[in-house]
Amino acid sequence: MLIGELASRTRTNERLLRYYERVGLLSAERRHNGYREYDAAAEQRVGQIRALLAAGLSTRVIGQLLPCAVDDGRLRACPGVLPALRDRLTELDRRAVELDVARDLLRRTITQTERSG
């Protein structure tokens, strides 16, 4: 399939698909006219990339994890997969605590401001 069709099927703009290819997350064959042609697995691969990006993983880490993906989108426990996922979860947990503290401070500030107004 051509890049436009892949973009449409995955609801991902073509510029992002080119970027995924440039950083090694996605591959395409080139037709004689230079157009990219993606195989049938590209659609699922883009879905995996987008899901892992939504989980906050970097493209560098995603590049390490994708070889461990199986057909249904799950990840096998290849070397380094679980530590990478656990590291990201630890970071998200840390940020969640920081956000909770900031939210509580903002609520107190709003309450105090309302009382003094």
Side-chain angles (χ1 to χ4, degrees):
M1 84 186 82
L2 296 178
I3 194 168
E5 183 179 354
L6 181 60
S8 177
R9 286 183 177 195
T10 61
R11 297 183 176 157
T12 303
N13 72 49
E14 292 178 16
R15 190 174 55 152
L16 273 176
L17 295 175
R18 287 186 203 98
Y19 171 73
Y20 297 161
E21 187 177 344
R22 192 170 65 251
V23 297
L25 302 180
L26 190 62
S27 61
E29 297 294 320
R30 291 289 185 154
R31 289 183 169 184
H32 68 281
N33 59 6
Y35 288 8
R36 290 171 173 84
E37 185 163 359
Y38 296 93
D39 64 18
E43 188 174 347
Q44 182 175 357
R45 173 66 58 108
V46 171
Q48 291 169 326
I49 293 166
R50 291 179 55 109
L52 293 169
L53 285 169
L57 297 173
S58 69
T59 56
R60 181 187 57 76
V61 171
I62 293 170
Q64 296 168 347
L65 298 180
L66 284 178
C68 299
V70 293
D71 290 340
D72 65 1
R74 291 179 299 121
L75 295 173
R76 291 186 320 258
C78 294
V81 167
L82 287 174
L85 297 175
R86 286 185 178 121
D87 287 348
R88 184 60 187 151
L89 181 59
T90 298
E91 175 63 17
L92 289 174
D93 287 343
R94 184 192 62 73
R95 288 178 50 202
V97 168
E98 290 173 356
L99 287 172
D100 284 342
V101 169
R103 184 176 46 223
D104 290 343
L105 177 61
L106 186 56
R107 282 186 179 136
R108 283 196 307 270
T109 301
I110 290 169
T111 300
Q112 291 170 354
T113 303
E114 288 172 339
R115 287 181 184 160
S116 68

